[in-house]
Amino acid sequence: MEYRLLGGSGLKVSILSFGAATFGGTNEFFRAWGNTDVAEATKIVDICLEAGINLFDTANGYSDGASETILGKALEGRRDQVLISTKAFFPTGTGPNDAGSSRYHLRRALEDSLRRLNTEHIDIYHMHGFDALTPIEEVQDTLNTFVREGKVRYIAASNFTGWQLMKSLAVAEKYGWTRFVAHQVYYSLVGRDYEWELMPLGLDQKVGALIWSPLGWGRLTGKLRRGAKIPDESRLHKTAQAGPTIPEEYLYNVVDAIDEVAKETGKSVPQISLNWLLQRPTVSSIILGARNEEQLKQNLGAIGWNLTPEQVAKLDAASAVVPAYPYWWQRNNNTQRNPPVV
């Protein structure tokens, strides 16, 4: 296992981490992802630790908090061996202050997460989304307080736009508060929007990327092919509308290119997709999701080898899309002064 620094911090994280969104399955949406119980979760943690994974990611909104509870129980007796990442933002009740990033809500959310995870501190605490109603000063001051109290070690964002992340960093910088060191983002071979603005920002500001849904919302499992129906066990049946829209022909063209590389390497479609991500700038760790032990072991095969530059170029070409404005204009007219990161 390789370990990388998390953004501009001194914290080292394994290049593969485990996402516990499959733990619990207490509602229809998350049941489509998985319904791992404590016994199975404990076995998965065993495999992760044996492979060298040191980061486990969850959120208070995953299965109404059940994911945190199950992860906490699966980590009993070995909390000191791992890093725990969790998040807050989404509703935890029906009250007017039961959502967002206000000082009121974040304090309650943090204390509840600590209790469910059965731990005294969170290693990486994410804002699961940007709260446009709460002043950024209030959010960053609250998070800085958590760090000073020792209840949180590092803070991070998730699903922010470029201006939202940059303004949050600027506010923290202005007052000498703790800065975001990571940004948990959607990024995959069939979802490369992250490269347009957030990746250059991450490089400039030393914000490491933690990648969620690295297999394109379940589309790069190797089971989706032209003319074939979606497998019965795929979560796409119940979750596709909540994820990114991907044109079918574009997806199949990317899968065709991955298949060509698979023949050259002897690796699977998911393994190639994950390895491609590990070679991208700013990526600190890829968060793996797995319904069971077998899926996890298959995904662990993404490390210990590297795609060749020629194979990377083939995948780059197949997955390339015209970026949004002004990125297409800058690419076409200002390449000497403003070259693309990738």
Side-chain angles (χ1 to χ4, degrees), residues 238-318:
K238 294 183 178 180
T239 67
Q241 297 303 313
T245 300
I246 300 174
E248 285 191 355
E249 190 59 27
Y250 170 72
L251 171 63
Y252 296 144
N253 287 338
V254 174
V255 173
D256 287 344
I258 298 175
D259 282 338
E260 291 180 21
V261 175
K263 292 177 181 178
E264 299 169 2
T265 60
K267 302 296 183 181
S268 69
V269 170
Q271 289 169 346
I272 292 168
S273 302
L274 296 173
N275 192 272
W276 178 85
L277 279 170
L278 287 171
Q279 300 191 46
R280 313 311 276 181
T282 72
V283 173
S284 293
S285 185
I286 295 174
I287 301 170
L288 303 178
R291 292 171 177 269
N292 51 52
E293 298 173 54
E294 182 55 34
Q295 281 189 354
L296 175 59
K297 290 177 180 177
Q298 285 290 324
N299 288 338
L300 288 171
I303 61 175
W305 59 281
N306 277 322
L307 296 164
T308 66
E310 294 76 18
Q311 290 166 343
V312 170
K314 180 182 295 185
L315 297 173
D316 286 351

Side-chain angles (χ1 to χ4, degrees), residues 85-149:
S85 163
T86 194
K87 316 176 192 72
F89 170 76
F90 287 106
T92 54
T94 58
N97 292 304
D98 289 341
S101 304
S102 69
R103 180 176 288 108
Y104 176 89
H105 179 64
L106 288 183
R107 173 61 71 178
R108 295 184 65 181
L110 175 63
E111 298 298 341
D112 287 345
S113 288
L114 290 170
R115 173 179 50 79
R116 284 190 292 264
L117 286 162
N118 191 29
T119 184
E120 295 180 350
H121 74 274
I122 304 298
D123 297 291
I124 308 170
Y125 198 49
H126 286 81
M127 295 300 92
H128 211 161
F130 180 78
D131 184 350
L133 300 181
T134 302
I136 293 177
E137 289 81 1
E138 179 178 339
V139 179
Q140 299 304 129
D141 183 27
T142 301
L143 295 174
N144 183 66
T145 300
F146 292 167
V147 173
R148 294 292 171 259
E149 291 174 346

Side-chain angles (χ1 to χ4, degrees), residues 199-250:
M199 180 182 284
L201 191 160
L203 281 171
D204 181 71
Q205 294 296 311
K206 296 183 178 179
V207 178
L210 298 171
I211 310 302
W212 65 263
S213 203
L215 297 181
W217 203 259
R219 292 178 172 89
L220 296 176
T221 60
K223 298 176 182 178
L224 298 187
R225 292 287 193 281
R226 280 188 180 85
K229 68 175 185 177
I230 299 176
D232 293 339
E233 72 276 11
S234 174
R235 62 184 171 95
L236 287 170
H237 292 290
K238 294 183 178 180
T239 67
Q241 297 303 313
T245 300
I246 300 174
E248 285 191 355
E249 190 59 27
Y250 170 72

